[in-house]
Amino acid sequence: MVDRREIYDALDLALRVGEIELSSGAGAADVTATMLAITHACGVRSVSGDVTFVDLTLHHQASAHKPLVVRVRRVTRRRVDYAELTEVEEAVNDLIEGHITREEARDRVARIVSTGHVRRPWSVTLGWGVMGTGIALTLGGHAVVCLLAFLAACAIDRTQRMLNRRRIPSLYVQAAGGFVATLIAVTASATQLQVNPSRVVTTGIVMLLAGIGLMGATQDAITGFPVTATARLLNAMMDTAGIIAGVAAGLTVGDLLGVGLESFKPGAAGIAEAGVTVFGASVAAAGFAFASYGPLRSLVAVGLVAALGQAVALAVDGADIGEAWGPAAAAVTIGAVCYLTAGRFRVPPLVVVVPAIVPLLPGLEISRGLALLAVGKDGVLPLASAIGTALALAAGVFLGQYLAQPLRREARRLETRLSGPRMVGAFRTVAQT
């Protein structure tokens, strides 16, 4: 029989791992399943879990005549660290497979969390700059635009770091990032440089959108966690509102200087342009993964999957069947492929899929809609299209996961094989008793 101290330790370990996963953008269903798998591996049965946006709760009651044990852990907001997430997932898998004990798993998790980030801040800033360059390439930007996009992404990262150290709410942090990107674009337009400022603004918007976490909110809504989904969606809406406010402020400055950003209309991509776009998507995704502390071995997988997704999006867009169908088809492809390839690179699927969809984020629609609103025109339609594209990306990824998951599982009952996609956590199913 498991004594009370061992029960407390098992629940505490599960909650610590759950906090890391939730902070990394994992869905509530994945976090709950991982926590229950950990307690089961520690010999603690009859456990139920509850996940909200800010709290993790585990309940244990051995029988109706035994007292209820409840442990709660507050989720602290932190910077996403995919290297930390990957190492914690490896420790969880070792525990579930019986290779290590609960005490060894607890020590490994504590050591991983206390070690700190694996990369220097300056290298992470450069990673964001590389991502900005890749996004500029996908928009057809030339050398000067790519340089400005690189500088804008680096400036956004340094600005956000400074504000985060002062515990400024994320709404204002996002607004500051949008303002910085737009101000750089406006300044470049006021000079003799032959650049299209909209591409620089779009780069900044995509970078800021990448950190919102809409995919986790969509997963929670799909998998039956409405409370967590609502909280995440509200948080995403507030962060997006911050981006819009920051970009709008920058556009106001541009208007005062006589610089208009509403004229950018990308043409149809030809064969040569498609090749550059696919390459830019690969670079942008790999840069985002690096800036998010993704393991170096995952960068190749991220780049290849992102390039494939961009190629699918271009092919579907060429059929002229609607703006949202291209990103949706690309997201389904990314969701299916990343599930099949992430295991080969020994990383959770989340580490591959989130960076891979970054080049598909609707930064262009948002920048175009705001630019139209800034000059008194109707920009609601582009903004509504951006919302539709974002939802299509998130939902498409999980549809791809559903389609690919049975291919990876061992032969089991159909109900188990189709129980739902797992972006993080052990893929071994345990029976709760």
Side-chain angles (χ1 to χ4, degrees):
M1 181 178 178
V2 183
D3 63 34
R4 185 167 291 262
R5 180 175 180 179
E6 291 178 342
I7 293 173
Y8 287 153
D9 290 343
L11 298 182
D12 181 70
L13 173 61
L15 290 172
R16 289 178 182 273
V17 172
E19 179 188 14
I20 295 171
E21 291 186 345
L22 194 65
S23 299
S24 299
D30 291 352
V31 174
T32 302
T34 301
M35 292 192 300
L36 297 183
I38 291 173
T39 56
H40 186 277
C42 294
V44 181
R45 306 295 192 268
S46 303
V47 178
S48 61
D50 185 29
V51 176
T52 67
F53 188 58
V54 294
D55 286 321
L56 298 174
T57 307
L58 287 176
H59 308 82
H60 167 69
Q61 189 170 22
S63 66
H65 306 288
K66 296 292 181 67
L68 176 67
V69 177
V70 180
R71 295 298 300 268
V72 181
R73 187 171 184 87
R74 190 77 171 179
V75 178
T76 58
R77 302 298 300 276
R78 67 166 96 189
R79 199 178 183 92
V80 174
D81 189 331
Y82 287 146
E84 178 182 280
L85 175 65
T86 301
E87 293 179 9
V88 169
E89 293 293 303
E90 291 174 352
V92 171
N93 284 323
D94 288 341
L95 172 65
I96 293 175
E97 296 296 334
H99 301 315
I100 60 176
T101 64
R102 173 179 52 78
E103 291 79 8
E104 292 172 331
R106 182 192 59 192
D107 293 341
R108 280 178 60 177
V109 171
R111 183 173 64 253
I112 292 168
V113 173
S114 62
T115 300
H117 298 308
V118 297
R119 297 187 182 115
R120 300 284 186 181
W122 63 265
S123 66
V124 173
T125 299
L126 292 180
W128 287 116
V130 170
M131 173 195 162
T133 303
I135 296 298
L137 285 174
T138 64
L139 299 173
H142 52 71
V144 176
V145 173
C146 289
L147 177 60
L148 289 173
F150 178 89
L151 295 176
C154 292
I156 290 173
D157 178 62
R158 302 314 299 183
T159 300
Q160 291 188 322
R161 284 177 178 271
M162 178 186 67
L163 295 179
N164 285 329
R165 284 196 296 267
R166 290 165 173 76
R167 299 183 181 276
I168 303 297
S170 61
L171 171 69
Y172 305 112
V173 174
Q174 294 288 88
F179 179 77
V180 167
T182 310
L183 191 61
I184 291 176
V186 167
T187 302
S189 298
T191 65
Q192 299 300 319
L193 294 174
Q194 299 297 318
V195 298
N196 191 318
S198 294
R199 293 169 178 169
V200 180
V201 175
T202 300
T203 297
I205 292 175
V206 171
M207 175 181 172
L208 294 168
L209 286 174
I212 285 181
L214 180 62
M215 194 171 65
T218 305
Q219 182 186 11
D220 291 342
I222 292 174
T223 55
F225 287 82
V227 175
T228 309
T230 302
R232 279 180 156 175
L233 285 172
L234 178 60
N235 185 72
M237 290 174 58
M238 293 299 295
D239 286 347
T240 304
I243 299 173
I244 293 174
V247 174
L251 291 174
T252 301
V253 174
D255 185 60
L256 294 176
L257 297 176
V259 179
L261 306 183
E262 75 279 359
S263 61
F264 177 42
K265 296 180 180 179
I271 296 177
E273 289 81 1
V276 174
T277 300
V278 170
F279 175 74
S282 179
V283 171
F288 176 82
F290 182 88
S292 301
Y293 307 95
L296 293 178
R297 64 178 181 272
S298 69
L299 301 186
V300 176
V302 168
L304 292 176
V305 174
L308 176 62
Q310 190 69 44
V312 171
L314 291 175
V316 176
D317 286 340
D320 195 20
I321 58 176
E323 293 185 5
W325 285 106
V332 172
T333 303
I334 289 172
V337 172
C338 83
Y339 191 87
L340 299 174
T341 59
R344 294 183 178 273
F345 290 86
R346 295 177 289 112
V347 294
L350 184 73
V351 177
V352 178
V353 69
V354 173
I357 67 170
V358 163
L360 301 170
L361 291 173
L364 178 59
E365 288 86 350
I366 292 178
S367 63
R368 183 185 296 165
L370 292 178
L372 291 172
L373 290 174
V375 296
K377 298 182 180 180
D378 185 10
V380 176
L381 185 59
L383 293 177
S385 176
I387 296 174
T389 299
L391 293 176
L393 284 172
V397 165
F398 293 104
L399 177 59
Q401 293 267 303
Y402 273 107
L403 296 176
Q405 186 172 238
L407 302 177
R408 281 287 307 274
R409 293 292 181 87
E410 299 175 358
R412 293 176 181 167
R413 294 174 56 190
L414 184 62
E415 296 88 342
T416 301
R417 292 171 61 193
L418 297 178
S419 59
R422 297 289 302 277
M423 299 291 286
V424 298
F427 288 89
R428 178 183 176 185
T429 303
V430 294
Q432 296 297 323
T433 59

